[in-house]
Amino acid sequence: MRFLNRILTIFCLMALIGCAAPAQFENMIYKQTPDNAFDPELRGQVEVDAIQGGSETNPLWVSKISNSTFQKALEESLSIQGLLANEGRFNLKVTLLKVEQPMFGLDLKVVTSVSYILFDNKTKKVLFDKIIDAAHTATFGDAFDAVTRLKIANEGSGKNNIRTFLEQLSELDVSSGKVSLIN
């Protein structure tokens, strides 16, 4: 009987702990169109540099957002908006500065801080230079185990960050020369 209790306890702990899974780019894609339309000069003209600052997930530790995952989500989001280009007039440099994650809890809130810098290759001007902070909280109702909740919170925070960037980018007026979105 004691042996069975030990086995059951170990099984329950393994089920609760689980292995960390990385954030999936599909869950970070922002598909809705912002309220404001994008400046026509941005259409099909935004090229994304290799993203920096992300971290690979160690299955024995916690879920992370990798550079390649965030880049795929951002590029797909830009593509949905009709902005993405392989070689465009505008160059977007993105750096994942920080991903704040809780160590434990029922409701897990993740905050991503991402730097977005948009250059105009034609005029050599910086048109957009902002650090965007975005949060997402995954609750016990989203997933039973904390490992999955943290992954959901990472993905939600990444998606909210991309959404906020696109909303602010939709306010950019390239054609008039107004550079109003610089910190």
Side-chain angles (χ1 to χ4, degrees):
M1 189 67 173
R2 290 178 92 185
F3 179 72
L4 185 58
N5 283 341
R6 286 184 184 169
I7 296 292
L8 184 61
T9 301
I10 290 171
F11 177 74
C12 288
L13 285 174
M14 288 175 65
L16 286 174
I17 295 172
C19 291
Q24 301 296 307
F25 82 92
E26 298 91 347
N27 299 328
M28 291 191 286
I29 297 170
Y30 184 72
K31 298 177 182 167
Q32 289 87 15
T33 304
D35 291 337
N36 295 338
F38 292 99
D39 187 297
E41 293 199 33
L42 290 173
R43 294 268 172 217
Q45 292 296 319
V46 179
E47 176 184 349
V48 181
D49 277 356
I51 292 179
Q52 300 176 3
S55 302
E56 296 294 327
T57 297
N58 178 343
L60 300 176
W61 191 230
V62 294
S63 178
K64 299 284 184 180
I65 301 173
S66 71
N67 292 332
S68 62
T69 300
F70 195 75
Q71 181 147 356
K72 286 179 189 174
L74 178 60
E75 287 177 343
E76 187 63 31
S77 299
L78 287 167
S79 179
I80 289 168
Q81 305 301 327
L83 303 176
L84 186 65
N86 287 331
E87 292 184 29
R89 174 181 165 190
F90 304 98
N91 188 274
L92 181 62
K93 295 180 75 94
V94 180
T95 305
L96 280 158
L97 300 173
K98 183 171 40 173
V99 179
E100 294 177 11
Q101 301 173 313
M103 290 303 290
F104 54 86
L106 287 179
D107 293 345
L108 302 179
K109 179 181 179 183
V110 171
V111 179
T112 53
S113 296
V114 181
S115 168
Y116 297 92
I117 303 172
L118 184 69
F119 297 96
D120 185 336
N121 293 326
K122 186 176 172 183
T123 65
K124 306 296 184 211
K125 289 185 180 179
V126 173
L127 301 177
F128 185 98
D129 184 355
K130 286 202 121 185
I131 295 173
I132 295 175
D133 297 323
H136 183 80
T137 302
T139 66
F140 190 74
D142 293 322
F144 173 72
D145 62 296
V147 173
T148 304
R149 280 197 311 276
L150 185 58
K151 178 182 170 290
I152 291 168
N154 280 341
E155 293 167 344
S157 179
K159 183 177 187 173
N160 289 340
N161 203 295
I162 291 170
R163 174 188 51 80
T164 303
F165 165 67
L166 289 171
E167 287 172 350
Q168 291 184 12
L169 189 64
S170 73
E171 297 171 9
L172 185 65
D173 187 0
V174 177
S175 54
S176 74
K178 290 183 183 175
V179 182
S180 59
L181 295 174
I182 298 179
N183 283 345

